[in-house]
Amino acid sequence: MLHDEEPVRRPGLRAVLFDACGVLLHRSEVRDWLTGTPMVEHELNAAIWAAIGDSAVTVPSAEEVSGRLADALGVPRRRATAVLDGFLNDWQPDHQLVEAILRLRSRYRIGMVTNAAAGARFCRAYQFARYGLDATFDLVMISDIEGIGKPDPGIYRLAAERLNVTPAECLFVDDKIENVRGALDVGMAAIHHTGTARTIARLGELL
C-alpha cells in the first residue's frame, strides 16, 4: 500500500523519520568549487571523501580535512578549504520542510535515516551546524555506520527502537519508492516524497 492509499489520519503516531538527500537536502546545480582544480568532478569527489575518511568513530574537524585535501591536491590550504566548503554547500536544506519539522518537534520524536558512507557523519555535522539543525533531530542513522541500509527491514526497526517507539508508531518519508515500501512492510506509515508542498500536506493529513 502506497501513500495515496493511506487513511487521512493515522492515530497513535509518535515519531517521524526522514531521508536526507533528496528529501531534507537538495543538491545545487552550481559547481563553482570545481574551478581551479586539476581534476574532473568524480576524481575530486573521491579525493574529498578520502580526505574526510571514515568518521564512524571520530568526526574530524574541517581544518583537518582541509589539510589532508590540500596535500592530496597539491594546492594551498586556502584553496582546499574553498573546495571543501563548496562541496559541503552543494547540499542545501529544504527550508520549508525543515520549518514543518520544527513545528512537529513538540509532539513527535524526529529522526533522520540515510543510506550513506560513514564519512557522511562529518558532512552532516558541518551542515547541521551551518544551518542551525543541531537540535532538530532526536536520531541520525547512517547506513555504513549501522552496517545495514534501507530498504532492509532491520534499519527501520532499529530506528524505531532507538526512538523508544514501535514501527507502527512511526511515519517514514523518503523519495525512493523501494525505501517507502520497506517502511510499509514493517508496519510504519509512509509518505513517498515527490515534492515539498505535497509532503507537507501529507504530514498535515496523517499527523
Side-chain angles (χ1 to χ4, degrees):
M1 183 170 70
L2 300 183
H3 69 280
D4 286 330
E5 301 172 283
E6 285 281 352
V8 172
R9 189 165 298 277
R10 172 82 172 256
L13 291 175
R14 297 173 56 203
V16 189
L17 302 170
F18 294 88
D19 176 43
C21 299
V23 177
L24 291 171
L25 300 168
H26 295 276
R27 197 172 191 189
S28 168
E29 296 300 319
V30 179
R31 299 289 187 274
D32 290 344
W33 52 276
L34 290 167
T35 305
T37 60
M39 296 180 175
V40 297
E41 183 173 356
H42 76 274
E43 293 173 332
L44 188 54
N45 277 333
I48 292 169
W49 282 114
I52 291 171
D54 183 354
S55 58
V57 178
T58 302
V59 180
S61 68
E63 291 74 19
E64 289 177 291
V65 176
S66 293
R68 296 172 195 163
L69 188 59
D71 291 341
L73 299 180
V75 299
R77 172 70 74 90
R78 181 181 300 176
R79 179 58 194 148
T81 298
V83 168
L84 180 62
D85 285 345
F87 171 81
L88 293 168
N89 291 329
D90 249 6
W91 290 96
Q92 302 284 329
D94 184 322
H95 294 290
Q96 284 183 287
L97 190 52
V98 169
E99 288 175 8
I101 291 170
L102 291 175
R103 292 194 293 270
L104 297 175
R105 275 199 55 79
S106 64
R107 294 178 293 138
Y108 300 94
R109 307 296 305 279
I110 304 296
M112 175 187 289
V113 182
T114 179
N115 282 355
R121 189 175 173 208
F122 165 82
C123 300
R124 298 292 175 267
Y126 177 99
Q127 289 157 337
F128 283 11
R130 180 177 177 85
Y131 299 112
L133 302 178
D134 304 74
T136 303
F137 301 96
D138 300 297
L139 172 73
V140 175
M141 291 180 64
I142 296 172
S143 61
D144 268 18
I145 293 176
E146 304 300 335
I148 191 171
K150 301 173 293 187
D152 189 295
I155 196 165
Y156 305 99
R157 294 187 180 117
L158 184 59
E161 179 183 332
R162 289 185 181 172
L163 288 174
N164 198 30
V165 296
T166 67
E169 293 173 316
C170 292
L171 172 61
F172 180 79
V173 184
D174 203 296
D175 61 321
K176 292 185 171 56
I177 193 64
E178 62 269 24
N179 296 339
V180 171
R181 289 182 175 129
L184 291 170
D185 286 345
V186 300
M188 293 184 175
I191 295 172
H192 181 208
H193 177 80
T194 57
T196 301
R198 182 174 179 80
T199 292
I200 290 174
R202 291 293 296 158
L203 288 170
E205 292 168 0
L206 289 166
L207 299 174

